Amino acid sequence: MKKLPQISEAELEVMKIIWKHPNINTNEVIEKLSKTSKWSPKTIQTMLLRLIKKGALNHYKESRVFVYTPNVAESDYLEIESRSFLNRFYNGTLNSMVLNFLEKDKLSDDEINELYQILEERKNRKKG
């Protein structure tokens, strides 16, 4: 499995913007994050620099601003973080997590039905 940089919760918010809008410039990142956070432009720029140093982002200069592209695919990050979560809390097994939710009545009937449909589709896809 790939080794990915450690990304903090705050940096993850920056990455989500860049995953959604690859080739986005500094001003656009600041504009989008200022709608959902109280971070100053300087704070956002610091997070961008940290993500570059960690290798999570690439950047290049376009006229007077920097443009950012992700070095880490969102799907890779989600897969590794999901595995890490399962390993830390459920001994690495998905069924332990699902059983925990079922036993604690944390899943509604609709969620159980949706999970059942997903499993049936996956099972049928493997047969065909």
Side-chain angles (χ1 to χ4, degrees):
M1 201 175 303
K2 289 182 190 174
K3 178 77 173 134
L4 294 180
Q6 288 289 321
I7 297 173
S8 71
E9 288 296 317
E11 292 165 347
L12 182 58
E13 293 308 307
V14 175
M15 287 301 296
K16 286 177 184 178
I17 297 290
I18 295 169
W19 281 323
K20 193 172 183 177
H21 308 280
N23 298 308
I24 186 171
N25 71 43
T26 307
N27 296 333
E28 293 167 328
V29 173
I30 290 169
E31 177 189 325
K32 291 185 182 311
L33 281 170
S34 66
K35 292 177 184 172
T36 59
S37 74
K38 294 182 182 194
W39 298 327
S40 72
K42 188 84 176 139
T43 299
I44 295 167
Q45 288 173 333
T46 299
M47 282 192 273
L48 288 165
L49 285 172
R50 274 197 224 140
L51 287 164
I52 290 166
K53 284 181 184 171
K54 290 179 177 187
L57 291 180
N58 276 326
H59 72 296
Y60 59 91
K61 195 160 189 164
E62 192 172 87
S63 61
R64 295 178 57 138
V65 293
F66 285 106
V67 176
Y68 303 91
T69 57
N71 245 0
V72 174
E74 184 176 18
S75 58
D76 290 344
Y77 181 79
L78 290 175
E79 179 183 346
I80 288 172
E81 284 299 310
S82 297
R83 286 262 166 244
S84 173
F85 174 80
L86 281 176
N87 286 333
R88 278 195 320 249
F89 297 103
Y90 297 101
N91 297 321
T93 60
L94 182 61
N95 54 341
S96 294
M97 183 181 79
V98 173
L99 284 172
N100 182 55
F101 277 88
L102 286 170
E103 288 170 2
K104 307 276 190 229
D105 289 327
K106 299 285 185 197
L107 293 176
S108 69
D109 286 346
D110 287 343
E111 289 168 325
I112 292 169
N113 288 333
E114 183 180 351
L115 183 58
Y116 180 78
Q117 284 181 311
I118 291 168
L119 293 171
E120 278 298 310
E121 287 172 16
R122 177 68 58 156
K123 188 170 143 184
N124 291 334
R125 201 177 332 146
K126 286 190 177 187
K127 284 181 183 176

